[in-house]
Amino acid sequence: MIRLGLTGGIAAGKSTVSKHLAERGIPVIDYDLLARKAVEPGSPALDRIVEAFGPQALGSDGSLDRAWMATKVFAGSDRESNRRRLEGIIHPAVFALAADEDARYQESGCPLVVHDIPLLVEQEEQTRRHGLVFDHIMSVEAPEKTRISRMVAQRGMSEGAAQARISAQADETGRRALADVIIDSSQPLPDMLEAVDVAVDRLLSLCS
Ligand SMILES: CC(C)(COP(=O)(O)OP(=O)(O)OC[C@H]1O[C@@H](n2cnc3c(N)ncnc32)[C@H](O)[C@@H]1O)[C@@H](O)C(=O)NCCC(=O)NCCS
Ligand SMILES: Nc1ncnc2c1ncn2[C@@H]1O[C@H](COP(=O)(O)OP(=O)(O)OP(=O)(O)O)[C@@H](O)[C@H]1O
């Protein structure tokens, strides 16, 4: 089974690419989704977050207050230590869930599985520790100013909050150092998806 790591900075277009690949019937493991699953009400990770950050971490419905948590880990002078603390709680659960999903796809004989993982560069060592070694890495890229305007226009984020997320992540150089496929998401969507198809078809043909 080919394991393709799909990465990119925030709002670069990873989900657009992974949705397209899923529509082609290719299995996708979505780490943002797993990170939400890991902190569902009743989960050990959510209990640990409350222990670490206090009851303000919970909204009135008892689930993680994501907007509050985002201000703790992406803004303020303690953001880096807070982020490390939150990641230390959530990531082990996320990578364990991802490894389980990956194993299920492997058992069912899938030729290719995509790991949609925003923090692939930052967490490369941790993925390896969970036995997740990528045969290929696709990085989806767009200029910072394009990504900021996407976040502002489509997600209602302030420019500062958008910039803060970018600053919390590896830069393009870090991603390029690992990637063997680069997808430019500043080109028109049909062209971008065509480039994705060409790259993925090539990977599939290499293993047949
Ligand atoms: C802080 C949280 C609650 C904010 O939630 P919110 O709904 O605003 O964002 P969401 O989870 O949808 O993430 C959106 C994007 O933010 C970026 N992002 C998320 N977590 C991080 C992080 N720890 N470091 C850098 N960028 C991050 C990614 O590009 C991600 O695609 C949430 O992002 C979180 O729990 N982060 C820690 C878990 C994590 O690292 N997730 C990334 C996948 S493993
Ligand atoms: N080639 C493109 N042309 C125009 N808009 C695009 C293109 N690719 C992606 N987008 C748009 O950019 C926005 C961000 O894309 P997407 O949600 O896929 O990013 P992401 O990398 O998954 O973000 P996150 O890191 O938050 O998960 C979306 O509104 C998407 O429609």
Side-chain angles (χ1 to χ4, degrees):
M1 184 177 79
I2 300 176
R3 220 176 257 124
L4 172 65
L6 170 65
T7 194
I10 184 161
K14 289 175 307 299
S15 312
T16 308
V17 170
S18 65
K19 182 169 165 276
H20 175 72
L21 294 175
E23 282 165 4
R24 279 187 57 173
I26 296 169
V28 175
I29 301 176
D30 179 337
Y31 284 60
D32 277 339
L33 208 65
L34 294 182
R36 284 170 190 259
K37 199 167 165 187
V39 299
E40 276 171 0
S43 63
L46 188 57
D47 292 345
R48 287 190 58 208
I49 290 171
V50 174
E51 272 168 35
F53 294 96
Q56 311 94 298
L58 297 181
S60 53
D61 65 352
S63 65
L64 179 65
D65 183 337
R66 305 185 70 82
W68 182 86
M69 200 71 249
T71 62
K72 297 301 259 189
V73 303
F74 298 119
S77 52
D78 294 335
R79 62 188 181 283
E80 294 214 355
S81 57
N82 285 339
R83 196 160 63 245
R84 297 288 93 87
R85 206 143 46 119
L86 180 68
E87 290 176 350
I89 296 170
I90 298 183
H91 284 180
V94 169
F95 288 101
L97 288 167
D100 284 351
E101 261 195 60
D102 181 271
R104 278 198 299 275
Y105 287 128
Q106 184 143 29
E107 275 161 29
S108 63
C110 288
L112 170 70
V113 65
V114 174
H115 288 246
D116 177 350
I117 165 168
L119 306 181
L120 190 153
V121 172
E122 296 85 337
Q123 299 297 331
E124 203 207 357
E125 203 184 308
Q126 179 140 211
T127 55
R128 278 182 193 279
R129 261 189 269 130
H130 284 84
L132 300 168
V133 177
F134 302 109
D135 303 289
H136 298 279
I137 295 178
M138 177 183 282
S139 177
V140 185
E141 293 183 351
E144 230 174 80
K145 67 174 178 22
T146 307
R147 291 158 54 207
I148 290 175
S149 22
R150 286 174 180 172
M151 283 184 263
V152 170
Q154 296 156 4
R155 300 182 189 179
M157 287 169 85
S158 70
E159 212 171 306
Q163 184 63 62
R165 290 252 181 157
I166 289 178
S167 304
Q169 301 185 338
D171 60 15
E172 199 173 280
T173 317
R175 285 186 288 269
R176 281 198 165 203
L178 292 186
D180 57 340
V181 182
I182 307 280
I183 298 295
D184 171 13
S185 90
S186 62
Q187 63 186 318
L189 193 59
D191 296 350
M192 166 174 127
L193 298 181
E194 167 73 17
V196 170
D197 284 337
V198 168
V200 166
D201 288 345
R202 185 168 168 278
L203 298 185
L204 285 169
S205 75
L206 286 178
C207 76
S208 61

